[in-house]
Amino acid sequence: MSYKRTEISQEDVKKQLDICREIKEGTHDSKRLALVDTFGCQQNEEDSEKIRGYLDAMGYAMTDDEFEADVIVINTCAVREHAEMRVFGNIGALSHTKKKKPGQIIAVCGCMVQQEHIAEKIKKSFPQVDLVFGPDELWRFPELLKTVMSTRRRIFARGKGDGCVVEGIPHMRSDKVKAWLSVMNGCNNFCSYCIVPYTRFRERSRRPDDILEEARSLVAEGYKEITLLGQNVNSYGRDLNCRVSFAQLIRMINDIDGDFVIRFMTSHPKDAHEELFAAMKDCEKCEKHLHLPLQAGSDRILKAMNRCYTAEKYLSLVDKVREYIPDIVLTTDIIVGFPGETDEDFEETMKVIEKVRYDAMFTFIYSKREGTPAAKMPDPFTREQKQVHFDRLLEVQNRISEEKHREYIGKTVRVLIDGRDREEGVLTGRTIGGRLVRTTGDESLIGSFTDVLIKDCNTWALRGDIARK
Ligand code: 5AD
Ligand code: SF4
């Protein structure tokens, strides 16, 4: 596949930072506030950290109150219709905040607005929105915002082309223990149900040196968990001349001195190879967790989804990773009710699930996405019929997850304590396989690795006591 990889120059990024400074110095109002609301995946969370980074450089403090915010940014997701409906609901409600605060600037960005029909809908039906920009235009958010501020005209900036690579945008990170590190952006796979290749464009990898520099500074700042992000991390580096693979990248990050763990997502089964499993095994800092989206267990449906593997091939991959790491934590995504999925097809999915016995599963009912090939496929089954499959899937997975969690009882596991639970006095953490753990202990433990003796569990979490040294 040939496409143009566009790198935004450091000079262009510097111009954006200069605009931030201009905005900061240009207003005498000392208390300017901004709100950034995020929908969707971790990649979007990471994008929002950059938007906050820019806003911070412009002199804005963050708020959760949409009535007092001078600037509101809604970072949207397009993967399923449900999220889009919620976004429209939120944008609609902002007409009230704008009435109360007429100078308020409302921006909507992310995957949803990269779609032409959504941008048009906002243009026509949501006059309160001042600025719209797609994921690939994020790097020039300061320039776009400044134009809205100075002209008071509405701006619609949707990316065109293959997508760009940008370095040097400041982050305002939302956590002190866990950090996102985007290694690549975009997707070349064109699964027939998925909108992402149309909203985030083609795969492009950041250079290994830039990634390593960011990882080193995260470790130096005291972050304990670094999650490497990409739509399909296994194809990392294919667009670069330096030919560093994702497995090699994990090894390089593992070599950074410090007490931290490496996680990553997401892996497409068609590109997951032994080289990756060997790196996961060898690297003591790499979590023993693989999120390997199956989507469906019927070969007929997998073909229609353009997933490029069969159930048999997927199962042999699972066997292979378990040869390398016997106690690997495996999680997956399943779509129920893909166009034309019959009872027989669904039974094939159930068979794979019983064979693999995932630790956890994320299940979705198929959502028709305009512009994707699957949107044109006949979809004869009703929502109610799909719901029956969905409920059965959940019931079986809940049983398996609980059985797998029971195996932890009586074992002492190393846990990164990462925060406090809603329940008073309870701390939360993750095992090296990424399982959620609740325990009681002093808040000073947040950000440290602690041994926990597991005493109890449910479908979602383990519960235990801090082990005495
Ligand atoms: N409908 C339902 N689920 C979807 N996903 C992606 N596109 C759709 C869609 N159109 C799910 C897939 C993917 C996860 C992030 O979202 O399971 O792995
Ligand atoms: Fe993330 Fe995909 Fe949603 Fe965009 S459409 S926010 S890439 S899940």
Side-chain angles (χ1 to χ4, degrees):
M1 204 179 289
S2 94
Y3 59 90
K4 200 165 144 265
R5 180 192 153 94
T6 310
E7 295 192 15
I8 305 297
S9 72
Q10 279 312 292
E11 204 179 309
D12 282 342
V13 176
K14 190 181 162 291
K15 272 188 210 151
Q16 300 301 318
L17 294 170
D18 289 342
I19 295 172
C20 291
R21 210 164 309 118
E22 247 177 70
I23 294 175
K24 186 174 183 168
E25 287 162 5
T27 35
H28 302 292
D29 183 359
S30 57
K31 193 176 169 272
R32 282 174 306 145
L33 297 170
L35 184 156
V36 181
D37 199 5
T38 315
F39 291 78
C41 64
Q42 288 85 353
Q43 200 99 29
N44 247 23
E45 295 284 348
E46 202 259 0
D47 279 349
S48 286
E49 291 182 344
K50 289 183 185 143
I51 296 170
R52 288 196 192 93
Y54 269 147
L55 286 164
D56 179 54
M58 293 174 205
Y60 288 90
M62 297 301 138
T63 175
D64 289 333
D65 183 345
E66 62 265 32
F67 283 95
E68 64 171 15
D70 299 284
V71 174
I72 296 182
V73 184
I74 303 192
N75 191 3
T76 64
C77 172
V79 156
R80 283 171 292 274
E81 193 184 7
H82 179 70
E84 290 193 341
M85 289 308 163
R86 277 177 53 213
V87 166
F88 280 131
N90 281 18
I91 305 176
L94 292 179
S95 61
H96 304 297
T97 64
K98 199 154 181 164
K99 256 185 217 129
K100 285 221 165 127
K101 199 174 172 74
Q104 187 173 62
I105 293 177
I106 298 174
V108 185
C109 65
C111 289
M112 200 172 142
V113 298
Q114 183 55 39
Q115 305 167 94
E116 193 176 352
H117 69 282
I118 300 276
E120 283 305 314
K121 180 167 171 170
I122 293 178
K123 207 177 263 178
K124 287 203 190 88
S125 314
F126 297 92
Q128 64 272 39
V129 175
D130 304 284
L131 170 60
V132 160
F133 59 100
D136 216 44
E137 302 291 299
L138 188 159
W139 70 274
R140 58 188 197 103
F141 168 57
E143 166 193 332
L144 297 169
L145 186 65
K146 185 186 159 195
T147 313
V148 171
M149 283 170 163
S150 56
T151 64
R152 279 285 149 190
R153 284 216 316 266
R154 304 177 82 195
I155 293 192
F156 286 74
R158 285 171 49 247
K160 295 172 203 75
D162 290 323
C164 60
V165 184
V166 198
E167 297 296 338
I169 302 180
H171 285 79
M172 187 183 202
R173 306 222 179 240
S174 45
D175 198 275
K176 298 254 175 298
V177 180
K178 304 190 282 189
W180 309 120
L181 200 172
S182 171
V183 299
M184 60 196 299
N185 214 321
C187 184
N188 288 355
N189 295 316
F190 290 94
C191 300
S192 63
Y193 50 81
C194 187
I195 196 72
V196 174
Y198 308 91
T199 62
R200 289 200 176 252
F201 304 137
R202 298 293 69 73
E203 266 170 24
R204 58 257 182 225
S205 309
R206 292 177 64 198
R207 294 186 185 281
D209 286 350
D210 292 323
I211 294 170
L212 285 171
E213 192 183 310
E214 188 173 339
R216 275 191 214 101
S217 68
L218 288 170
V219 174
E221 286 169 49
Y223 284 93
K224 298 294 178 202
E225 179 186 286
I226 297 177
T227 302
L228 310 177
L229 297 177
Q231 260 76 35
N232 176 18
V233 288
N234 297 330
S235 51
Y236 172 80
R238 283 191 195 156
D239 56 322
L240 294 171
N241 297 328
C242 59
R243 291 277 158 211
V244 170
S245 68
F246 185 62
Q248 286 167 313
L249 189 68
I250 291 182
R251 289 181 190 273
M252 288 159 133
I253 298 175
N254 189 69
D255 284 343
I256 298 174
D257 279 337
D259 198 15
F260 68 98
V261 290
I262 305 164
R263 299 177 64 192
F264 61 87
M265 63 189 343
T266 287
S267 288
H268 193 308
K270 81 175 169 58
D271 299 312
H273 296 299
E274 277 187 62
E275 192 204 357
L276 173 70
F277 308 153
M280 290 176 77
K281 180 184 173 165
D282 293 346
C283 295
E284 73 288 353
K285 289 175 184 136
C286 185
E287 282 210 340
K288 308 307 177 218
H289 169 207
L290 187 63
H291 183 66
L292 200 62
L294 169 70
Q295 311 299 3
S298 146
D299 289 346
R300 195 179 71 83
I301 295 296
L302 284 169
K303 190 151 195 282
M305 286 178 161
N306 191 30
R307 290 292 286 174
C308 307
Y309 54 84
T310 59
E312 193 188 326
K313 184 157 174 252
Y314 183 96
L315 286 168
S316 66
L317 205 57
V318 168
D319 287 344
K320 192 51 87 187
V321 68
R322 284 185 167 147
E323 260 173 44
Y324 278 87
I325 310 166
D327 54 355
I328 184 103
V329 167
L330 278 172
T331 57
T332 201
D333 292 341
I334 304 281
I335 297 177
V336 172
F338 183 82
E341 186 183 56
T342 61
D343 287 347
E344 291 73 31
D345 291 318
F346 176 71
E347 291 310 323
E348 297 298 314
T349 301
M350 294 298 277
K351 273 190 213 154
V352 178
I353 282 155
E354 291 282 8
K355 278 192 190 141
V356 176
R357 292 179 57 80
Y358 294 101
D359 294 76
M361 197 166 83
F362 300 89
T363 37
F364 311 101
I365 289 192
Y366 169 75
S367 173
K368 182 174 172 175
R369 306 287 66 211
E370 207 171 289
T372 62
K376 296 194 195 78
M377 297 178 189
D379 191 2
F381 298 105
T382 63
R383 169 85 198 193
E384 288 68 32
Q385 286 169 310
K386 295 180 181 189
Q387 190 69 42
V388 172
H389 286 167
F390 185 84
D391 292 346
R392 236 187 92 206
L393 192 63
L394 227 56
E395 197 185 305
V396 170
Q397 183 54 42
N398 285 350
R399 168 178 57 75
I400 296 173
S401 290
E402 194 166 340
E403 283 168 7
K404 295 211 88 167
H405 275 172
R406 291 218 165 276
E407 292 166 14
Y408 286 86
I409 294 179
K411 290 188 182 152
T412 298
V413 289
R414 186 172 182 249
V415 172
L416 170 60
I417 305 288
D418 58 15
R420 47 186 87 72
D421 198 68
R422 259 176 271 159
E423 197 182 324
E424 183 73 23
V426 176
L427 301 176
T428 57
R430 296 266 168 191
T431 66
I432 190 78
R435 309 315 303 138
L436 176 64
V437 178
R438 293 203 174 88
T439 186
T440 35
D442 194 81
E443 288 202 359
S444 60
L445 288 172
I446 294 174
S448 65
F449 292 95
T450 311
D451 285 341
V452 175
L453 172 63
I454 302 301
K455 296 269 182 79
D456 197 6
C457 71
N458 60 24
T459 316
W460 308 112
L462 306 168
R463 187 162 195 134
D465 295 339
I466 308 264
R468 291 219 181 91
K469 295 255 155 79

